[in-house]
Amino acid sequence: AKIEGRGRTRYFDQSMTRDLVRRREIEAELRAAIQKDELSIFFQPIVDLETGRIKTFEALVRWFHPQKGELRPDEFIPVAEETGVIVTLGNWITQQAAKAAAQWPEDVTVAVNLSPLQIKAPGAALGIFTALREAGLHPSRLELEVTESLFLEDSEATGSFITELSERGVRFALDDFGTGYSSLGYINKYPFSKIKVDRSFVSGKDVGKKSDAIIRAVAEMGAQLDMDIVAEGLEEIEQVTAVREAGCTLGQGYYFSRAVPDYLAAMLLTQERDG
Ligand code: C2E
Ligand code: CA
Ligand code: CA
Ligand code: CA
């Protein structure tokens, strides 16, 4: 940074310090936030592209901070991971998501995002079974979304976690597919029922013939392996049409709905079924 001149160096240093201070604050406040009821779970529908019906709601955590306003998970989940708070937070999220899902029709499932750290923590599977039992939700109505980063060091803990839960009916989805170290090895080794193609293949500057061909290939593999292929980040009708045409079975994105509070999620289901 020194080569760029003094002014620029100072600018970087200041913004880095600000960043660090903010992270420190978030770390300290996160533990208390659950108790203070500042966190909530929102739900975004995942829609069957053939029928247009909601099959799943993905649980997405929100933090309504009294001073900082709404914080997005991208800002505090990494801090929660670094500090280990993610284990407590993750259990709380699963509990809330299972409770909400227990109110929905039985053919609707709930998807919960899991951090690698959460999965590697001792008693991870037990935490999830407990949440399910307390909510009275059948394991087959829970789907766990994991990213490829989980498999960077393919540990025994990861394997037994996935085996233990899937034997009891919990389903697994491979999230953000195509952004990381995508390997067919994981798909072959673990019982994923769903692959979520990252939204960078659907929208953004790099979308074109290539990304379309990739989506088609993934959709073809999904059909062969009896897995659902979800297209993420659908904002325009043209994108919905394109991914359905390419063979994706499910879609998610602002075109259908943003993430909404649990009462609105329940209302969407009622509307869909009554009218
Ligand atoms: P993700 O799992 O890939 O979740 C999808 C993100 O894309 C969500 O952002 C969602 O609001 C956003 N999204 C959905 N449709 C569209 C669209 O059409 N256009 C655009 N531009 N964005 C769309 P959100 O809620 O801010 O979450 C960001 C990330 O934070 C998630 O990415 C996930 O990795 C993480 N996260 C969220 N909730 C949790 C949680 O409860 N636990 C863990 N471990 N991570 C979470
Ligand atoms: Ca996800
Ligand atoms: Ca995703
Ligand atoms: Ca993500």
Side-chain angles (χ1 to χ4, degrees):
K2 283 232 163 68
I3 305 162
E4 314 253 3
R6 273 192 67 88
R8 185 123 189 211
T9 308
R10 257 203 343 252
Y11 170 75
F12 272 125
D13 288 348
Q14 271 174 10
S15 75
M16 273 168 64
T17 312
R18 256 205 315 277
D19 214 51
L20 199 73
V21 169
R22 192 174 165 90
R23 287 169 85 88
R24 281 273 166 76
E25 284 174 6
I26 288 175
E27 174 186 346
E29 290 167 351
L30 193 52
R31 292 177 195 272
I34 303 177
Q35 259 75 47
K36 289 196 285 183
D37 223 21
E38 290 172 12
L39 297 171
S40 39
I41 309 299
F42 275 37
F43 296 93
Q44 187 181 32
I46 301 176
V47 171
D48 185 325
L49 290 174
E50 261 339 292
T51 65
R53 283 168 72 97
I54 297 169
K55 300 262 291 210
T56 304
F57 278 104
E58 178 174 1
L60 295 162
V61 65
R62 298 285 179 264
W63 183 358
F64 298 95
H65 191 285
Q67 282 86 41
K68 295 188 176 74
E70 183 183 336
L71 297 177
R72 307 246 54 197
D74 286 333
E75 202 166 0
F76 62 87
I77 291 286
V79 182
E81 287 175 338
E82 282 165 25
T83 55
V85 181
I86 191 68
V87 177
T88 309
L89 179 61
N91 279 331
W92 181 83
I93 291 167
T94 310
Q95 285 162 14
Q96 300 300 308
K99 260 191 232 164
Q103 309 298 315
W104 305 336
E106 287 201 344
D107 57 339
V108 180
T109 57
V110 67
V112 174
N113 292 285
L114 290 192
S115 295
L117 247 155
Q118 228 178 310
I119 294 173
K120 285 163 188 167
L126 185 65
I128 286 166
F129 287 131
T130 307
L132 287 170
R133 201 185 50 240
E134 282 173 358
L137 191 75
H138 193 273
S140 64
R141 293 184 59 201
L142 176 69
E143 218 168 76
L144 299 175
E145 296 196 0
V146 302
T147 58
E148 293 151 352
S149 62
L150 175 63
F151 305 107
L152 273 182
E153 20 140 5
D154 198 355
S155 71
E156 228 171 90
T158 303
S160 55
F161 176 86
I162 295 180
T163 310
E164 202 177 325
L165 283 145
S166 57
E167 276 174 356
R168 300 270 292 272
V170 174
R171 278 176 271 196
F172 283 85
L174 189 53
D175 201 0
D176 300 348
F177 188 72
T179 56
Y181 310 83
S182 309
S183 156
L184 300 179
Y186 319 131
I187 295 171
N188 194 31
K189 183 168 176 187
Y190 296 111
F192 290 108
S193 59
K194 206 178 259 188
I195 291 177
K196 302 187 78 176
V197 179
D198 190 71
R199 74 163 174 269
S200 55
F201 291 89
V202 171
S203 59
K205 55 176 170 33
D206 298 331
V207 167
K209 269 199 182 142
K210 252 182 163 175
S211 50
D212 188 62
I214 292 170
I215 292 184
R216 276 176 201 280
V218 176
E220 175 62 25
M221 176 180 72
Q224 296 289 332
L225 297 176
D226 203 22
M227 289 186 297
D228 272 311
I229 306 300
V230 191
E232 294 191 289
L234 300 175
E235 295 182 359
E236 314 287 341
I237 182 67
E238 291 79 11
Q239 296 166 340
V240 177
T241 312
V243 298
R244 193 183 52 205
E245 226 279 296
C248 294
T249 51
L250 302 172
Q252 179 178 9
Y254 298 162
Y255 174 77
F256 299 109
S257 170
R258 289 178 180 257
V260 297
D262 59 353
Y263 69 92
L264 277 182
M267 226 164 84
L268 283 176
L269 291 170
T270 310
Q271 272 173 7
E272 186 181 80
R273 272 137 223 264
D274 293 351

